[in-house]
């Protein structure tokens, strides 16, 4: 290691392995070419870095990767029917959800509950969640496959969540623009109406279809 203000030093290395001829003021100060493919493994597994991501990004990740697992068996059967108008509700606590993200969904995750709170507040403005207390939320989960299809042709070079992101962003912007400030604030205020988790058995009316 060189000291601040000194050149990179590596005289102890064999000549062919030295970097100083390229990256020091005694050398060429040339760039080091690294292929983008060298980062593919980290991009595939590193969903997040140690900085808080945009709420829209984390909301899409949780909607596509986490929320389905929170449904009970009959809710999962109903979700697979792909009815965009069928709302399946469950309640979740921000700290518990952050732990689940770090333990089961994001390798070496560093998600904290404050990030999750901000993301769930975002979903409240999207009106796919309801804030019950400062840290507890009721998720209004739906299969949005049909609604997402209209964006697939629009997204040219987007990622796997791009169509969902455009859908959520559109709903979020509509409320930001159309609602009065007081009505918008109410979407992220605790309702204190902690109701029972959805326990309806969806399998009975349609059990013959599965």
């Amino acid at each position: 290691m060189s000291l601040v203000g000194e050149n990179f030093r590596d005289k102890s290395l064999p000549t062919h392995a030295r970097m100083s001829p390229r990256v020091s003021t005694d050398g060429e100060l040339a760039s080091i070419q690294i292929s983008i493919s060298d980062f593919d493994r980290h991009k595939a597994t590193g969903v997040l870095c140690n900085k808080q991501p945009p709420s829209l990004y984390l909301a899409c990740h949780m909607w596509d990767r986490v929320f389905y697992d929170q449904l009970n068996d009959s809710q999962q059967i109903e979700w697979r029917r792909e009815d965009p108008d069928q709302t399946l509700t469950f309640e979740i606590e921000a700290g518990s959800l952050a732990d689940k993200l770090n333990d089961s969904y994001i390798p070496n995750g560093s998600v904290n509950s404050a990030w999750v709170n901000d993301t769930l507040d975002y979903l409240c403005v999207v009106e796919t969640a309801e804030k019950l207390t400062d840290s507890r939320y009721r998720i209004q989960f739906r299969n949005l496959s049909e609604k997402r299809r209209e964006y697939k042709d629009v997204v040219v070079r987007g990622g796997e969540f791009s169509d969902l992101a455009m859908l959520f962003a559109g709903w979020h912007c509509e409320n930001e623009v159309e609602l009065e400030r007081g009505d918008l604030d109410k979407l992220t205020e605790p309702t204190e109406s902690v109701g029972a988790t959805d326990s309806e058995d969806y399998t009975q009316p349609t059990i013959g279809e599965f």
Side-chain angles (χ1 to χ4, degrees):
M1 293 289 293
S2 62
L3 299 175
V4 176
E6 293 186 354
N7 277 327
F8 185 87
R9 295 178 298 172
D10 54 4
K11 291 183 178 180
S12 60
L13 295 176
T15 302
H16 69 277
R18 294 179 186 172
M19 295 177 61
S20 54
R22 295 179 60 85
V23 298
S24 72
T25 55
D26 294 333
E28 307 171 9
L29 285 180
S31 61
I32 299 176
Q33 300 300 317
I34 301 175
S35 171
I36 295 177
S37 62
D38 291 340
F39 298 97
D40 284 347
R41 178 174 60 86
H42 301 287
K43 289 174 64 180
T45 58
V47 177
L48 301 171
C49 60
N50 60 354
K51 182 180 179 182
Q52 181 173 0
S55 293
L56 175 58
Y57 174 84
L58 191 53
C60 291
H61 183 82
M62 294 194 302
W63 191 274
D64 256 16
R65 293 285 181 268
V66 182
F67 286 170
Y68 176 82
D69 294 339
Q70 314 310 309
L71 302 177
N72 61 40
D73 291 344
S74 66
Q75 287 177 321
Q76 290 184 356
I77 290 174
E78 184 63 23
W79 185 89
R80 291 196 291 270
R81 290 171 55 82
E82 298 189 8
D83 181 356
D85 297 320
Q86 178 64 68
T87 300
L88 308 167
T89 64
F90 61 89
E91 294 179 12
I92 200 158
E93 195 271 328
S96 174
L97 181 53
D99 291 340
K100 288 180 180 179
L101 286 168
N102 292 325
D103 294 341
S104 305
Y105 297 95
I106 301 176
N108 301 315
S110 57
V111 180
N112 63 58
S113 57
W115 299 2
V116 175
N117 266 112
D118 289 345
T119 299
L120 294 175
D121 280 349
Y122 183 93
L123 288 177
C124 286
V125 178
V126 175
E127 296 189 88
T128 56
E130 178 185 3
K131 191 167 188 174
L132 304 176
T133 69
D134 286 338
S135 62
R136 191 163 188 81
Y137 296 77
R138 181 183 294 123
I139 306 301
Q140 298 165 353
F141 193 54
R142 290 180 287 162
N143 188 320
L144 298 174
S145 299
E146 181 178 329
K147 292 184 179 296
R148 293 170 64 168
R149 287 189 187 102
E150 61 187 272
Y151 291 102
K152 289 190 180 294
D153 292 335
V154 177
V155 180
V156 179
R157 297 187 60 187
E160 59 179 328
F161 301 137
S162 294
D163 53 349
L164 180 61
M166 292 185 71
L167 185 63
F168 280 170
W171 289 345
H172 191 278
C173 288
E174 285 177 10
N175 279 343
E176 286 277 1
V177 171
E178 296 177 3
L179 294 181
E180 297 290 338
R181 174 50 55 183
D183 293 331
L184 188 62
D185 290 341
K186 286 180 181 178
L187 293 176
T188 55
E189 292 176 357
T191 64
E192 298 183 354
S193 61
V194 182
T197 301
D198 187 355
S199 58
E200 180 179 350
D201 187 351
Y202 293 96
T203 61
Q204 293 307 311
T206 56
I207 197 167
E209 300 180 23
F210 295 92

